[in-house]
Amino acid sequence: MSKKDVKKVKNKNEEIKEEQEEKQEEIKNSEIELLGNRIKELEEKLVRNQAELINYKRRKDDEVSRMLKYSQEDIILEILPIIDNFERAIKLDDNNLEDELSKFLNGFKMIYTNLIEVLNKYEVKEIEALGKEFDPTYHQAVLTDKDESKASGTILEVLQKGYMYKDKVIRVSMVKVNE
């Protein structure tokens, strides 16, 4: 082999070496690009997961606070019919304090007053209805009547009281409405 041939082979080897280095550089760059894309993808996924976790915690906290806020609702709903019965019994009073019935009803009035105080303590309020404009959010019309002296849609009589527990209607008022 002559010097020229040796040079040619060296040059050829150098060219091959350069080509291999270029290919390796391209491979590295494409791998870096792939890894960069993968990192971006994982970062986006992480951000989404963090947002989902924050939303989950917020929903859970809202649900727990709502449950705690209305935790006594079931027992209050069971007490309301008792209140209704006390009110019916108290209406029987004829203000004659001599007879036995009035003595019993006086005791009923004291118990009724105590029950109302307990309900007020737990933010249970009666829904005002008599003489008010009918509102289906707070009232349920079970009867209608015609009274020319009152406007249409005015509540003429409350058949069963409605109650609010904090800011929630737990029982609508059953009412008679003017046509």
Side-chain angles (χ1 to χ4, degrees):
M1 232 194 222
S2 70
K3 280 187 175 185
K4 265 187 180 178
D5 289 336
V6 170
K7 248 186 183 180
K8 280 184 185 179
V9 170
K10 278 186 180 181
N11 285 341
K12 203 59 150 164
N13 283 344
E14 284 179 19
E15 284 177 21
I16 292 172
K17 198 174 187 181
E18 283 178 16
E19 285 178 16
Q20 285 178 343
E21 286 176 0
E22 285 176 13
K23 284 183 182 179
Q24 285 179 347
E25 189 68 31
E26 286 177 18
I27 291 172
K28 281 182 187 179
N29 287 339
S30 67
E31 285 178 354
I32 289 172
E33 187 177 328
L34 284 173
L35 290 174
N37 290 339
R38 180 68 178 149
I39 288 171
K40 284 181 186 176
E41 184 181 304
L42 290 173
E43 284 174 343
E44 289 172 4
K45 191 173 183 178
L46 176 65
V47 168
R48 276 194 308 273
N49 286 341
Q50 286 175 334
E52 285 178 16
L53 180 63
I54 290 168
N55 289 336
Y56 168 76
K57 284 181 179 180
R58 184 183 41 77
R59 282 191 312 270
K60 183 178 163 273
D61 290 346
D62 289 348
E63 185 178 328
V64 168
S65 69
R66 196 171 37 256
M67 284 174 47
L68 290 174
K69 182 176 182 180
Y70 300 113
S71 63
Q72 291 93 12
E73 183 177 351
D74 291 338
I75 192 161
I76 289 168
L77 285 171
E78 289 187 34
I79 290 174
L80 292 180
I82 298 168
I83 298 282
D84 294 339
N85 290 332
F86 272 109
E87 288 174 349
R88 285 187 203 98
I90 291 169
K91 283 182 183 177
L92 296 174
D93 194 4
D94 59 4
N95 292 323
N96 177 5
L97 299 177
E98 302 298 318
D99 65 349
E100 286 294 314
L101 178 62
S102 290
K103 292 177 183 175
F104 279 113
L105 291 179
N106 195 31
F108 283 177
K109 287 178 186 177
M110 288 190 294
I111 296 169
Y112 172 77
T113 303
N114 289 342
L115 281 171
I116 294 299
E117 287 173 4
V118 168
L119 290 179
N120 287 334
K121 176 182 171 186
Y122 288 100
E123 299 180 56
V124 177
K125 304 288 183 222
E126 178 184 333
I127 296 172
E128 294 295 324
L130 189 60
K132 303 280 185 187
E133 183 72 23
F134 176 78
D135 182 351
T137 306
Y138 303 105
H139 312 119
Q140 179 181 356
V142 291
L143 294 172
T144 58
D145 201 359
K146 189 74 171 163
D147 185 347
E148 299 294 331
S149 65
K150 301 203 178 185
S152 179
T154 302
I155 296 171
L156 301 174
E157 184 180 346
V158 177
L159 304 171
Q160 183 182 46
K161 291 181 180 179
Y163 291 91
M164 299 275 298
Y165 177 45
K166 300 186 182 192
D167 58 349
K168 179 180 177 185
V169 175
I170 59 171
R171 186 170 86 177
V172 294
S173 300
M174 292 186 171
V175 296
K176 181 193 293 187
V177 181
N178 195 25
E179 291 182 330

